[in-house]
Amino acid sequence: MGSFIGDFVVIGKNVKIGRNVKIYPFTYVGDNTVIGDNTVIFSGVHIYRNTVIGRNVRIHSGAVIGADGFGYHITQEGIKKIPHIGGVIIEDNVEIGANTTIDRALIENTLIGKNTKIDNLVMVAHNCKVGENNILVSQVGLSGSVKTGKNVILAGQVGVADHVEIGDNVIVTAKSGVANNLAPNKTYGANLPAIEWSRWKRIYVYLLRLPELFKKITT
């Protein structure tokens, strides 16, 4: 009721579309997808099969939802692809920026929690569980099976290694790499601002000598 489907939209089998949904031209919606009321999907979005999208969601142009996870097995015969047969669940009131990608899970579902806002050019890998009220800023990358709590903010270009868990109310500053679990209610950051190149080379020489210098001081 009251929904709009633009020109050249392709809708697969067994798709359920709620009320007041807007799907703009040149969008693809795969089989068995569910789209909730009042959701807006802009031009050129690709939604693979078995995706569940909640109410009041906005997905901007170029986003790809539900592509295969990046999973391979290295054998003597070569690199073998691991089929990903899971799906993606996007809960209510989520916004997904342009050219963002959210991969399907291996078996179960990749999850984006309600009220989460995702900027342009963000990568969410297979099996991730992104919590409620998160903010993922441009060029954030989540490796496979990352879990974030509620009210997490990942600033621009934060990279998170696979299977890392980030607690509630955590802030990670821009350009930081997260390799281990982060306890809740704290701000983390290990970014290195740009400095003049010749100065950095001098600093780097001293960094390489730190273990030796430390040993002299402590012995």
Side-chain angles (χ1 to χ4, degrees), residues 5-13 15 17 23-31 33 35 45-47:
I5 298 176
D7 296 334
F8 305 107
V9 170
V10 176
I11 297 178
K13 299 177 181 178
V15 172
I17 298 175
I23 304 177
Y24 285 90
F26 298 101
T27 287
Y28 170 80
V29 181
D31 296 348
T33 292
I35 301 173
V45 172
H46 290 74
I47 301 170

XYZ file of all heavy atoms in Angstrom, residues 5-13 15 17 23-31 33 35 45-47:
197
model
N 7.817 1.663 -6.758
C 8.881 0.866 -7.360
C 9.236 1.519 -8.687
O 8.406 1.618 -9.593
C 8.454 -0.594 -7.562
C 8.133 -1.228 -6.197
C 9.537 -1.386 -8.280
C 7.611 -2.637 -6.284
N 10.481 1.978 -8.815
C 10.910 2.738 -9.979
C 11.182 1.879 -11.201
O 11.078 0.637 -11.161
N 11.545 2.555 -12.272
C 11.849 1.876 -13.527
C 13.076 0.973 -13.391
O 14.023 1.293 -12.667
C 12.119 2.896 -14.629
C 10.898 3.747 -14.941
O 9.764 3.269 -14.696
O 11.069 4.887 -15.408
N 13.046 -0.145 -14.095
C 14.172 -1.068 -14.201
C 14.583 -1.687 -12.850
O 15.723 -2.116 -12.685
C 15.385 -0.382 -14.857
C 15.072 0.215 -16.195
C 14.970 1.583 -16.347
C 14.853 -0.596 -17.301
C 14.666 2.143 -17.574
C 14.564 -0.053 -18.545
C 14.460 1.325 -18.676
N 13.674 -1.710 -11.911
C 13.902 -2.461 -10.668
C 13.609 -3.936 -10.952
O 12.619 -4.279 -11.590
C 12.994 -1.944 -9.538
C 13.062 -2.866 -8.331
C 13.402 -0.530 -9.145
N 14.485 -4.807 -10.449
C 14.283 -6.250 -10.588
C 13.989 -6.827 -9.208
O 14.762 -6.631 -8.270
C 15.528 -6.942 -11.184
C 15.331 -8.453 -11.218
C 15.800 -6.408 -12.583
N 12.879 -7.526 -9.085
C 12.462 -8.119 -7.822
C 12.323 -9.624 -8.015
O 11.609 -10.087 -8.908
C 11.142 -7.503 -7.330
C 11.342 -6.002 -7.050
C 10.651 -8.220 -6.075
C 10.099 -5.288 -6.619
N 13.025 -10.387 -7.163
C 13.032 -11.837 -7.285
C 11.779 -12.495 -6.742
O 10.763 -11.849 -6.447
N 11.856 -13.801 -6.565
C 10.727 -14.594 -6.107
C 10.557 -14.489 -4.591
O 11.515 -14.335 -3.846
C 10.936 -16.063 -6.488
C 11.051 -16.308 -7.987
C 11.338 -17.768 -8.270
C 11.481 -18.020 -9.778
N 11.813 -19.449 -10.053
N 9.484 -12.288 -2.584
C 9.882 -11.051 -1.908
C 8.652 -10.431 -1.254
O 7.575 -10.368 -1.855
C 10.514 -10.064 -2.903
C 10.754 -8.709 -2.244
C 11.819 -10.632 -3.443
N 7.237 -6.939 0.484
C 7.493 -5.503 0.578
C 6.393 -4.864 1.412
O 5.202 -5.045 1.134
C 7.551 -4.865 -0.824
C 8.707 -5.485 -1.618
C 7.716 -3.352 -0.726
C 8.773 -5.019 -3.064
N 11.455 2.131 -3.704
C 12.604 1.466 -4.325
C 12.879 2.188 -5.638
O 12.086 2.122 -6.579
C 12.339 -0.029 -4.563
C 11.939 -0.722 -3.256
C 13.569 -0.696 -5.166
C 11.577 -2.188 -3.416
N 14.010 2.856 -5.705
C 14.313 3.711 -6.855
C 14.929 2.905 -7.994
O 15.327 1.751 -7.827
C 15.199 4.870 -6.402
C 14.413 5.909 -5.634
C 14.279 5.815 -4.244
C 13.768 6.949 -6.291
C 13.537 6.751 -3.538
C 13.020 7.883 -5.594
C 12.904 7.783 -4.212
O 12.162 8.714 -3.523
N 15.000 3.493 -9.211
C 15.382 2.737 -10.418
C 16.727 2.016 -10.321
O 17.633 2.421 -9.584
C 15.422 3.822 -11.498
C 14.439 4.845 -11.035
C 14.594 4.875 -9.549
N 16.797 0.928 -11.107
C 18.022 0.148 -11.294
C 18.491 -0.557 -10.016
O 19.671 -0.848 -9.853
C 19.150 1.025 -11.867
C 18.845 1.598 -13.214
C 18.429 2.907 -13.341
C 18.944 0.810 -14.349
C 18.134 3.434 -14.585
C 18.661 1.324 -15.602
C 18.244 2.643 -15.727
N 17.562 -0.849 -9.137
C 17.869 -1.618 -7.930
C 17.493 -3.080 -8.156
O 16.528 -3.391 -8.849
C 17.125 -1.037 -6.723
O 17.745 0.189 -6.343
C 17.128 -1.980 -5.536
N 18.267 -3.979 -7.533
C 18.005 -5.416 -7.616
C 17.665 -5.944 -6.221
O 18.405 -5.684 -5.261
C 19.213 -6.167 -8.164
C 19.101 -7.671 -8.043
C 18.346 -8.403 -8.966
C 19.719 -8.356 -7.009
C 18.215 -9.777 -8.859
C 19.594 -9.737 -6.884
C 18.841 -10.435 -7.815
O 18.707 -11.791 -7.699
N 16.574 -6.694 -6.134
C 16.144 -7.306 -4.868
C 16.039 -8.807 -5.091
O 15.213 -9.276 -5.871
C 14.796 -6.727 -4.395
C 14.383 -7.365 -3.074
C 14.864 -5.209 -4.267
N 16.889 -9.568 -4.384
C 16.949 -11.005 -4.595
C 15.815 -11.776 -3.954
O 15.014 -11.249 -3.170
N 15.762 -13.057 -4.267
C 14.706 -13.956 -3.785
C 14.626 -13.968 -2.258
O 15.638 -13.829 -1.554
C 14.968 -15.384 -4.261
C 14.917 -15.525 -5.773
O 14.458 -14.584 -6.448
O 15.356 -16.588 -6.270
N 13.603 -12.009 -0.025
C 13.937 -10.811 0.742
C 12.672 -10.225 1.355
O 11.596 -10.273 0.761
C 14.622 -9.773 -0.164
O 15.909 -10.284 -0.533
C 14.800 -8.447 0.532
N 11.261 -6.607 3.085
C 11.531 -5.171 3.249
C 10.399 -4.566 4.072
O 9.233 -4.628 3.685
C 11.640 -4.467 1.886
C 12.765 -5.109 1.054
C 11.895 -2.971 2.069
C 12.845 -4.589 -0.364
N 21.073 0.012 -5.842
C 21.389 -0.864 -4.710
C 21.209 -2.319 -5.146
O 20.292 -2.644 -5.896
C 20.483 -0.538 -3.509
C 20.657 -1.562 -2.395
C 20.768 0.866 -2.999
N 22.088 -3.191 -4.647
C 21.984 -4.623 -4.934
C 21.768 -5.373 -3.616
O 22.628 -5.341 -2.732
C 23.248 -5.133 -5.627
C 23.400 -4.620 -7.017
N 23.767 -3.317 -7.293
C 23.217 -5.218 -8.226
C 23.814 -3.139 -8.608
N 23.482 -4.275 -9.190
N 20.621 -6.024 -3.527
C 20.268 -6.779 -2.325
C 20.164 -8.248 -2.720
O 19.279 -8.636 -3.485
C 18.941 -6.278 -1.735
C 19.056 -4.783 -1.371
C 18.555 -7.109 -0.523
C 17.736 -4.150 -1.011
